[in-house]
Amino acid sequence: MKLVDALLLSLSLALIIVGIHQTVTQGVEASYAIFMFAVALLFWFQYRKMQKPEEPPTPKKKAKSGKKR
């Protein structure tokens, strides 16, 4: 995970926590924008995750035995 991806994910989770706190103290109307911004960051994180090219699986090498015939 790159630094930008980690920042997007942690910032969106922090905004969700702040939004929950705002909902409890001031109501849903006050926290709606915070939740929408958190969801937008989560969508951006998912978009960046889907844009990464898939790495082909590397075949495992067989271990050589130390015995010689």
Side-chain angles (χ1 to χ4, degrees):
M1 181 182 290
K2 292 187 176 182
L3 179 63
V4 176
D5 294 335
L7 287 174
L8 284 173
L9 186 60
S10 57
L11 183 60
S12 64
L13 292 177
L15 284 175
I16 289 172
I17 292 170
V18 169
I20 291 170
H21 178 265
Q22 289 292 318
T23 301
V24 170
T25 58
Q26 297 180 0
V28 176
E29 298 86 16
S31 63
Y32 181 77
I34 296 171
F35 281 123
M36 290 301 108
F37 192 61
V39 169
L41 288 176
L42 285 172
F43 280 143
W44 190 13
F45 171 75
Q46 187 67 26
Y47 177 75
R48 286 180 53 89
K49 187 174 162 185
M50 296 301 283
Q51 290 298 321
K52 291 181 184 176
E54 292 185 17
E55 298 177 6
T58 56
K60 294 183 178 181
K61 295 180 181 179
K62 294 182 180 179
K64 294 182 179 178
S65 62
K67 297 179 183 178
K68 292 186 180 180
R69 292 184 180 206

